[in-house]
């Protein structure tokens, strides 16, 4: 019995009391969550600044606004989604009620991560609450300030038994995974994803895993390079590259590599000035370990821009690497930092092959003015999601499921998909207990000609 | 020596070549599957007799007919299912799918998932159950002749071979069987982050209210309990009712059993047999629980167990601890609907849950205050016969679901696709640094105006 057993048991007892069943209760909790965000916007921004050097602009626009939108969407749609869904009947069931009934699963565990510590933790919580579950919330310990803030703030607004916030690092997470949950949603890396799914298997707990990978970004010769590079620079270097859906590396023809470098540089200067270290809008690496890791990836590479860092402030300059060897370290792991390698390929087919030989990524990006190129790229590869001619944005559309495939993840969420992920869709057939004569044809003994022996 | 490596590599290569993508290819596979069923109907019926003493009626209704329906449904709807949905979502095959099938409905529970996997454009490895030996033989020797063997393979073996198979990476695993093995399958899948659907089991409660016609209830409960000699994951496992109702049910159950199977059920062609000696001995052991009031006979040489009803059963006895999966129906007394609901909720979530009552209110209350994979009011597993209802468990009874379009969706990766063009850059520019409060205000206004709260812009 760990210290978490009590917390989980209390959540379960609160769930079993039936408190979360009425939609009204769930909506109230979501409204309280919204109030919490509005009341504490400054504190949320403060935590994000302390953890990741975010400012009030990108804290709001890249984190908070998503959660607020998800709450609005959920509150608006919940009555519709929670309704019984009648289904097509067969000839034998015409007189019966046949429908799918959505029910909460029970106690859900949500393990957040540090890169967007507010959104990634809270956005799934919104869906889990809307679906009527109790939710145990485990923010990432690496984004310490946000973890502390959530631990103090949430109990002041939400039901304390149903939605406890727990803290801790790896040992604590390992302990809590021994408890039984009815669904576990985890965002983080592949290695830990496997550990979580293995732990979940012991209890036959379904999981949603939002993992990572190397998100390829193919830039066709036939494209508007100015716009492409500006969009790529935006998505890659936001939060100093620490975004699961960021374009990880560029694939392009050698003849346009230099232009891409020039245009990326131009956009970077527009965004962050000559010295990004002085920009209020440029992020920092979460901790020294990751700082060292990302700096290490640049070793031995041809640096076309940037390439420097400052360990004291965990600042890494926006960096572009060219003529990158696919075998080198920077092409072996998810970069999760402000380093953009460019790998040259000589054709669309080569790019597709390059991508298909590797693990399925969370996101895939393709820039081209040619619709056929885009369609071929999509058709001959796989990934969690795709955006053509932009980056990252498919993850922000509420009506699109957000999730990975293969090594980049299992399951998906956002909007209605969250509601479904955190619900059990129970098939129901209700018939009257009338005279059985109408059903007698189904009972044995069957007609002589149908039987054998 | 890895007996599976070559086969799996071959299938992966075929998948990588894109062969299974076009609708025509998938439709051809499905049509061939239909031909397999039609051409070999008699062969399959004979195999089902050998494996489970299944009557032609049961074989048609619960194995061949159902499989044929799913094939026809998939063929009719394939193109509609394959089209992108309203909001752009590509439905793509996962790749290499493993289907592990059980022995109790060896045709249905093998072919119906196969229909979904093929319709969704996957390559498939099928591992039929080694216990339903005669059916396994047909699936291994005859079925591959009908399908494109570069994209489909049958592998055989017991727990050891299955364990070896599971060390390999699959892109999806579909398993039907017990919760115990379900855990093993999921743990193996976790090593490769392979998504799974697990169709497991449990003890499906059957609440019988005082307000009911006992004969009607008895007919329905008996039929669904003793169908396939009780070896059905969704069969009513035990009855919960008051002592009064029990008194009325018992003679009604006896009448139903006699009507269905005659005075000597062992000689009835309508009653199945237990799959194996091991299960027979397990079930014979359960006959010692509580008190036998109907049936109780058994014959080891025939693996026959009579349709049996037990009363005075304790919760701690084996018959109330494990899924029965045989023609034995224990009755447990409760004094009220509340007590029945408590009893049900103290236990693992079952695959199916049944409530019988003339009062719709009572039925709805049981539904509202419990959870289960599926639910049927006033009948047995009829809910399974609608392809428009997802079939699957929850909690210990499973995860994921299938049948009809749900099969197609289960075996497809739903890939979110957003297609943009270089235009509108002026608006998108609002999102770029250097950030300013003015830009933020304009951005939020623009997002609101589009009112679908679409995107970071």
């Amino acid at each position: 019995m760990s210290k978490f057993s009590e917390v989980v048991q209390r959540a379960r007892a609160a769930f079993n009391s039936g408190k979360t069943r009425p939609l009204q209760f769930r909506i109230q909790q979501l409204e309280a969550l919204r109030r919490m965000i509005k009341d504490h916007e400054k504190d949320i921004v403060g935590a994000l600044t302390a953890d990741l050097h975010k400012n009030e602009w990108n804290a709001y626009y890249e984190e908070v606004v998503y959660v607020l939108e998800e709450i609005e969407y959920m509150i608006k749609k919940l009555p519709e989604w929670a309704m019984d869904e009648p289904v097509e009947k067969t000839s034998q069931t015409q007189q019966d009620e046949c429908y799918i009934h959505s029910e909460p699963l029970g106690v859900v565990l949500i393990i957040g991560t540090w890169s967007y510590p507010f959104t990634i933790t809270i956005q799934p919580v919104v869906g889990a609450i809307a679906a009527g579950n109790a939710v145990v919330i485990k923010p990432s310990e690496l984004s310490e300030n946000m973890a502390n803030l959530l631990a103090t703030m949430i109990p002041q607004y939400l039901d304390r038994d149903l939605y406890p916030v727990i803290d801790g690092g790896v040992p604590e997470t390992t302990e809590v995974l021994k408890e039984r949950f009815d669904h576990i949603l985890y965002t983080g890396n592949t290695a830990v994803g496997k550990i979580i799914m293995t732990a979940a298997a012991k209890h036959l707990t379904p999981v949603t895993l939002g993992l990572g990978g190397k998100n390829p970004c193919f830039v066709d010769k036939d494209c508007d390079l100015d716009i492409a590079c500006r969009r790529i620079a935006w998505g890659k270097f936001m939060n100093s590259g620490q975004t699961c859906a960021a374009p990880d590396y560029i694939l392009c023809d050698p003849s346009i590599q230099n232009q891409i470098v020039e245009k990326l540089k131009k956009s970077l200067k527009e965004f962050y000035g000559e010295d990004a270290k002085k920009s209020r809008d440029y992020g920092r690496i979460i901790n020294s370990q990751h700082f060292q890791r990302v700096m290490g990836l640049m070793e031995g590479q041809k640096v076309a821009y940037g390439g420097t860092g400052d360990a004291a402030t965990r600042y890494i300059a926006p960096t572009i690497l060219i003529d990158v060897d696919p075998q080198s370290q920077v092409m072996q792991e998810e970069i999760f930092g402000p380093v953009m390698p460019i790998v040259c390929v000589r054709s669309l087919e080569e790019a597709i092959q390059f991508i298909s030989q590797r693990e399925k990524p969370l996101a895939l990006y393709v820039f081209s003015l040619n619709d056929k190129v885009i369609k071929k790229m999509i058709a001959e590869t796989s990934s969690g999601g795709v955006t053509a001619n932009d980056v990252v944005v498919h993850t922000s559309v509420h009506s699109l499921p957000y999730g990975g495939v293969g090594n980049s993840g299992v399951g998906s969420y956002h909007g209605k998909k969250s509601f479904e992920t955190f619900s059990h869709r129970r098939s129901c057939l209700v018939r009257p207990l009338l005279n059985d004569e109408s059903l007698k044809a189904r009972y044995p003994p069957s007609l002589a000609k149908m039987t054998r022996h | 020596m890895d007996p599976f490596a070559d086969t799996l590599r071959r299938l992966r290569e075929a998948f990588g070549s894109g062969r299974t993508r076009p609708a025509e290819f998938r439709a051809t596979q499905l049509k061939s599957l239909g031909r397999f069923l039609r051409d070999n109907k008699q062969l399959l019926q004979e195999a089902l007799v050998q494996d489970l003493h299944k009557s032609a009626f049961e074989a048609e209704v619960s194995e061949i007919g159902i499989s044929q329906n799913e094939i026809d449904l998939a063929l009719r709807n394939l193109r509609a299912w394959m089209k992108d949905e309203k909001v752009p979502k590509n439905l793509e095959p996962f790749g290499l799918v493993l289907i592990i099938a059980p022995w109790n409905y060896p045709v249905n529970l093998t072919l119906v998932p196969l229909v979904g996997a093929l319709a969704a454009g996957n390559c498939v490895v099928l591992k039929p159950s080694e216990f339903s030996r005669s059916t396994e033989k047909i699936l291994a020797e005859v079925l591959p002749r009908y399908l494109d063997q570069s994209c489909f393979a049958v592998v055989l073996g017991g727990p050891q071979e299955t364990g070896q198979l599971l060390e390999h990476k699959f892109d999806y695993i579909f398993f039907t069987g017990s919760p115990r093995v379900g855990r093993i399958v999921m743990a193996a899948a976790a090593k490769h982050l392979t998504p799974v659907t697990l169709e497991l089991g449990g003890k499906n409660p059957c609440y019988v209210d005082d307000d009911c016609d006992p004969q009607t209830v008895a007919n329905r409960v008996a039929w669904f309990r003793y169908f396939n000699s009780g070896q059905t994951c969704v069969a009513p496992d035990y009855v919960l009712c008051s002592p009064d109702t029990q008194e009325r049910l018992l003679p009604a159950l006896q009448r139903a059993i006699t009507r269905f199977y005659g005075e000597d059920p062992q000689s009835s062609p309508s009653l199945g047999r237990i799959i194996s000696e091991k299960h027979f001995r397990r079930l014979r052991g359960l006959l010692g629980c509580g008190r036998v009031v109907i049936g109780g006979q058994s014959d080891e040489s025939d693996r026959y167990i009579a349709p049996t009803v037990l009363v005075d059963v304790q919760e701690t006895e084996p018959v109330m601890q494990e899924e029965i999966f045989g023609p034995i129906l224990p009755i447990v007394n409760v004094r009220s609907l509340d007590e029945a609901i408590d009893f049900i909720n103290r236990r693992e979530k079952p695959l199916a849950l049944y409530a019988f009552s003339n009062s719709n209110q009572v039925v709805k209350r049981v539904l509202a205050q419990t959870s289960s994979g599926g639910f049927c009011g006033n009948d047995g597993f009829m809910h399974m016969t609608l392809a428009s209802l997802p079939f699957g468990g929850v909690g210990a009874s499973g995860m994921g679901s299938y049948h009809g379009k749900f099969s197609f969706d289960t075996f497809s990766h739903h890939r979110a696709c957003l297609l943009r063009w270089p235009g509108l850059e002026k608006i998108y520019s609002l999102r770029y640094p250097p950030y300013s409060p003015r830009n933020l205000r304009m951005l939020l206004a623009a997002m609101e105006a589009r009112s679908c709260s679409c995107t970071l812009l």
Side-chain angles (χ1 to χ4, degrees), chain A residues 4-21:
Chain A
F4 298 118
S5 301
E6 234 187 87
V7 169
V8 177
Q9 268 169 33
R10 236 191 348 260
R12 196 168 278 293
F15 173 77
N16 287 340
S17 76
K19 218 191 253 193
T20 63
R21 299 308 185 110

PDB file of all heavy atoms in Angstrom, chain A residues 4-21:
ATOM      1  N   PHE A   4      -0.047   6.455  -2.594  1.00  0.00           N
ATOM      2  CA  PHE A   4      -0.981   6.756  -3.654  1.00  0.00           C
ATOM      3  C   PHE A   4      -2.233   5.904  -3.565  1.00  0.00           C
ATOM      4  O   PHE A   4      -3.277   6.278  -4.095  1.00  0.00           O
ATOM      5  CB  PHE A   4      -0.322   6.560  -5.021  1.00  0.00           C
ATOM      6  CG  PHE A   4       0.845   7.483  -5.243  1.00  0.00           C
ATOM      7  CD1 PHE A   4       2.106   6.970  -5.440  1.00  0.00           C
ATOM      8  CD2 PHE A   4       0.662   8.855  -5.234  1.00  0.00           C
ATOM      9  CE1 PHE A   4       3.185   7.805  -5.625  1.00  0.00           C
ATOM     10  CE2 PHE A   4       1.737   9.695  -5.421  1.00  0.00           C
ATOM     11  CZ  PHE A   4       3.003   9.186  -5.612  1.00  0.00           C
ATOM     12  N   SER A   5      -2.119   4.739  -2.923  1.00  0.00           N
ATOM     13  CA  SER A   5      -3.278   3.841  -2.846  1.00  0.00           C
ATOM     14  C   SER A   5      -4.472   4.558  -2.262  1.00  0.00           C
ATOM     15  O   SER A   5      -5.589   4.450  -2.769  1.00  0.00           O
ATOM     16  CB  SER A   5      -2.964   2.616  -1.979  1.00  0.00           C
ATOM     17  OG  SER A   5      -1.888   1.917  -2.505  1.00  0.00           O
ATOM     18  N   GLU A   6      -4.204   5.334  -1.201  1.00  0.00           N
ATOM     19  CA  GLU A   6      -5.302   6.045  -0.552  1.00  0.00           C
ATOM     20  C   GLU A   6      -5.953   7.035  -1.500  1.00  0.00           C
ATOM     21  O   GLU A   6      -7.179   7.142  -1.565  1.00  0.00           O
ATOM     22  CB  GLU A   6      -4.719   6.820   0.626  1.00  0.00           C
ATOM     23  CG  GLU A   6      -5.379   6.542   1.949  1.00  0.00           C
ATOM     24  CD  GLU A   6      -4.835   7.497   3.011  1.00  0.00           C
ATOM     25  OE1 GLU A   6      -5.385   8.601   3.132  1.00  0.00           O
ATOM     26  OE2 GLU A   6      -3.845   7.091   3.659  1.00  0.00           O
ATOM     27  N   VAL A   7      -5.108   7.785  -2.192  1.00  0.00           N
ATOM     28  CA  VAL A   7      -5.609   8.802  -3.118  1.00  0.00           C
ATOM     29  C   VAL A   7      -6.475   8.154  -4.191  1.00  0.00           C
ATOM     30  O   VAL A   7      -7.579   8.628  -4.498  1.00  0.00           O
ATOM     31  CB  VAL A   7      -4.419   9.538  -3.777  1.00  0.00           C
ATOM     32  CG1 VAL A   7      -4.894  10.394  -4.921  1.00  0.00           C
ATOM     33  CG2 VAL A   7      -3.704  10.386  -2.738  1.00  0.00           C
ATOM     34  N   VAL A   8      -5.965   7.054  -4.752  1.00  0.00           N
ATOM     35  CA  VAL A   8      -6.703   6.389  -5.818  1.00  0.00           C
ATOM     36  C   VAL A   8      -7.992   5.782  -5.284  1.00  0.00           C
ATOM     37  O   VAL A   8      -9.046   5.867  -5.912  1.00  0.00           O
ATOM     38  CB  VAL A   8      -5.822   5.304  -6.486  1.00  0.00           C
ATOM     39  CG1 VAL A   8      -6.608   4.547  -7.545  1.00  0.00           C
ATOM     40  CG2 VAL A   8      -4.589   5.937  -7.107  1.00  0.00           C
ATOM     41  N   GLN A   9      -7.906   5.213  -4.093  1.00  0.00           N
ATOM     42  CA  GLN A   9      -9.117   4.605  -3.517  1.00  0.00           C
ATOM     43  C   GLN A   9     -10.176   5.655  -3.250  1.00  0.00           C
ATOM     44  O   GLN A   9     -11.372   5.421  -3.456  1.00  0.00           O
ATOM     45  CB  GLN A   9      -8.776   3.901  -2.205  1.00  0.00           C
ATOM     46  CG  GLN A   9      -8.437   2.443  -2.418  1.00  0.00           C
ATOM     47  CD  GLN A   9      -7.850   1.800  -1.176  1.00  0.00           C
ATOM     48  OE1 GLN A   9      -8.207   2.164  -0.047  1.00  0.00           O
ATOM     49  NE2 GLN A   9      -6.942   0.863  -1.356  1.00  0.00           N
ATOM     50  N   ARG A  10      -9.743   6.818  -2.791  1.00  0.00           N
ATOM     51  CA  ARG A  10     -10.702   7.888  -2.527  1.00  0.00           C
ATOM     52  C   ARG A  10     -11.354   8.333  -3.833  1.00  0.00           C
ATOM     53  O   ARG A  10     -12.567   8.565  -3.890  1.00  0.00           O
ATOM     54  CB  ARG A  10      -9.991   9.085  -1.871  1.00  0.00           C
ATOM     55  CG  ARG A  10     -10.627   9.464  -0.551  1.00  0.00           C
ATOM     56  CD  ARG A  10     -10.181  10.769   0.052  1.00  0.00           C
ATOM     57  NE  ARG A  10      -9.038  11.413  -0.486  1.00  0.00           N
ATOM     58  CZ  ARG A  10      -7.808  11.360   0.056  1.00  0.00           C
ATOM     59  NH1 ARG A  10      -7.613  10.654   1.153  1.00  0.00           N
ATOM     60  NH2 ARG A  10      -6.814  12.006  -0.508  1.00  0.00           N
ATOM     61  N   ALA A  11     -10.547   8.433  -4.857  1.00  0.00           N
ATOM     62  CA  ALA A  11     -11.094   8.823  -6.159  1.00  0.00           C
ATOM     63  C   ALA A  11     -12.103   7.788  -6.624  1.00  0.00           C
ATOM     64  O   ALA A  11     -13.177   8.117  -7.144  1.00  0.00           O
ATOM     65  CB  ALA A  11      -9.967   8.971  -7.179  1.00  0.00           C
ATOM     66  N   ARG A  12     -11.778   6.522  -6.414  1.00  0.00           N
ATOM     67  CA  ARG A  12     -12.675   5.458  -6.846  1.00  0.00           C
ATOM     68  C   ARG A  12     -13.984   5.480  -6.052  1.00  0.00           C
ATOM     69  O   ARG A  12     -15.064   5.334  -6.606  1.00  0.00           O
ATOM     70  CB  ARG A  12     -11.993   4.093  -6.707  1.00  0.00           C
ATOM     71  CG  ARG A  12     -12.701   3.023  -7.490  1.00  0.00           C
ATOM     72  CD  ARG A  12     -11.891   1.746  -7.599  1.00  0.00           C
ATOM     73  NE  ARG A  12     -10.890   1.787  -8.653  1.00  0.00           N
ATOM     74  CZ  ARG A  12     -11.150   1.829  -9.962  1.00  0.00           C
ATOM     75  NH1 ARG A  12     -12.397   1.855 -10.370  1.00  0.00           N
ATOM     76  NH2 ARG A  12     -10.176   1.854 -10.839  1.00  0.00           N
ATOM     77  N   ALA A  13     -13.851   5.691  -4.756  1.00  0.00           N
ATOM     78  CA  ALA A  13     -15.061   5.749  -3.930  1.00  0.00           C
ATOM     79  C   ALA A  13     -15.930   6.918  -4.376  1.00  0.00           C
ATOM     80  O   ALA A  13     -17.155   6.800  -4.480  1.00  0.00           O
ATOM     81  CB  ALA A  13     -14.689   5.881  -2.458  1.00  0.00           C
ATOM     82  N   ALA A  14     -15.282   8.047  -4.654  1.00  0.00           N
ATOM     83  CA  ALA A  14     -16.043   9.214  -5.108  1.00  0.00           C
ATOM     84  C   ALA A  14     -16.715   8.919  -6.436  1.00  0.00           C
ATOM     85  O   ALA A  14     -17.871   9.288  -6.664  1.00  0.00           O
ATOM     86  CB  ALA A  14     -15.114  10.426  -5.241  1.00  0.00           C
ATOM     87  N   PHE A  15     -16.003   8.224  -7.319  1.00  0.00           N
ATOM     88  CA  PHE A  15     -16.610   7.858  -8.595  1.00  0.00           C
ATOM     89  C   PHE A  15     -17.802   6.937  -8.366  1.00  0.00           C
ATOM     90  O   PHE A  15     -18.870   7.113  -8.953  1.00  0.00           O
ATOM     91  CB  PHE A  15     -15.589   7.183  -9.520  1.00  0.00           C
ATOM     92  CG  PHE A  15     -16.213   6.655 -10.769  1.00  0.00           C
ATOM     93  CD1 PHE A  15     -16.555   7.508 -11.810  1.00  0.00           C
ATOM     94  CD2 PHE A  15     -16.532   5.296 -10.891  1.00  0.00           C
ATOM     95  CE1 PHE A  15     -17.171   7.029 -12.959  1.00  0.00           C
ATOM     96  CE2 PHE A  15     -17.153   4.812 -12.032  1.00  0.00           C
ATOM     97  CZ  PHE A  15     -17.479   5.679 -13.069  1.00  0.00           C
ATOM     98  N   ASN A  16     -17.589   5.914  -7.524  1.00  0.00           N
ATOM     99  CA  ASN A  16     -18.655   4.934  -7.282  1.00  0.00           C
ATOM    100  C   ASN A  16     -19.878   5.545  -6.636  1.00  0.00           C
ATOM    101  O   ASN A  16     -20.973   4.987  -6.719  1.00  0.00           O
ATOM    102  CB  ASN A  16     -18.126   3.781  -6.417  1.00  0.00           C
ATOM    103  CG  ASN A  16     -17.198   2.862  -7.196  1.00  0.00           C
ATOM    104  OD1 ASN A  16     -17.229   2.857  -8.422  1.00  0.00           O
ATOM    105  ND2 ASN A  16     -16.380   2.105  -6.493  1.00  0.00           N
ATOM    106  N   SER A  17     -19.713   6.688  -6.002  1.00  0.00           N
ATOM    107  CA  SER A  17     -20.879   7.330  -5.376  1.00  0.00           C
ATOM    108  C   SER A  17     -21.860   7.825  -6.430  1.00  0.00           C
ATOM    109  O   SER A  17     -22.999   8.161  -6.128  1.00  0.00           O
ATOM    110  CB  SER A  17     -20.429   8.508  -4.518  1.00  0.00           C
ATOM    111  OG  SER A  17     -20.086   9.608  -5.356  1.00  0.00           O
ATOM    112  N   GLY A  18     -21.404   7.888  -7.684  1.00  0.00           N
ATOM    113  CA  GLY A  18     -22.308   8.311  -8.748  1.00  0.00           C
ATOM    114  C   GLY A  18     -22.329   9.814  -8.981  1.00  0.00           C
ATOM    115  O   GLY A  18     -23.067  10.320  -9.820  1.00  0.00           O
ATOM    116  N   LYS A  19     -21.481  10.520  -8.226  1.00  0.00           N
ATOM    117  CA  LYS A  19     -21.458  11.985  -8.291  1.00  0.00           C
ATOM    118  C   LYS A  19     -21.252  12.526  -9.698  1.00  0.00           C
ATOM    119  O   LYS A  19     -21.798  13.556 -10.083  1.00  0.00           O
ATOM    120  CB  LYS A  19     -20.262  12.438  -7.440  1.00  0.00           C
ATOM    121  CG  LYS A  19     -20.458  13.677  -6.629  1.00  0.00           C
ATOM    122  CD  LYS A  19     -19.128  14.119  -6.091  1.00  0.00           C
ATOM    123  CE  LYS A  19     -18.970  13.883  -4.614  1.00  0.00           C
ATOM    124  NZ  LYS A  19     -17.812  14.596  -4.064  1.00  0.00           N
ATOM    125  N   THR A  20     -20.411  11.848 -10.472  1.00  0.00           N
ATOM    126  CA  THR A  20     -20.020  12.403 -11.776  1.00  0.00           C
ATOM    127  C   THR A  20     -20.997  12.052 -12.891  1.00  0.00           C
ATOM    128  O   THR A  20     -20.821  12.470 -14.022  1.00  0.00           O
ATOM    129  CB  THR A  20     -18.649  11.845 -12.215  1.00  0.00           C
ATOM    130  OG1 THR A  20     -18.773  10.431 -12.378  1.00  0.00           O
ATOM    131  CG2 THR A  20     -17.566  12.158 -11.211  1.00  0.00           C
ATOM    132  N   ARG A  21     -22.043  11.275 -12.548  1.00  0.00           N
ATOM    133  CA  ARG A  21     -22.919  10.853 -13.631  1.00  0.00           C
ATOM    134  C   ARG A  21     -23.727  11.985 -14.246  1.00  0.00           C
ATOM    135  O   ARG A  21     -23.796  12.111 -15.458  1.00  0.00           O
ATOM    136  CB  ARG A  21     -23.864   9.736 -13.182  1.00  0.00           C
ATOM    137  CG  ARG A  21     -23.168   8.470 -12.724  1.00  0.00           C
ATOM    138  CD  ARG A  21     -22.168   7.960 -13.756  1.00  0.00           C
ATOM    139  NE  ARG A  21     -21.598   6.696 -13.379  1.00  0.00           N
ATOM    140  CZ  ARG A  21     -21.861   5.539 -14.010  1.00  0.00           C
ATOM    141  NH1 ARG A  21     -22.662   5.515 -15.040  1.00  0.00           N
ATOM    142  NH2 ARG A  21     -21.320   4.428 -13.584  1.00  0.00           N
TER     143      ARG A  21
END
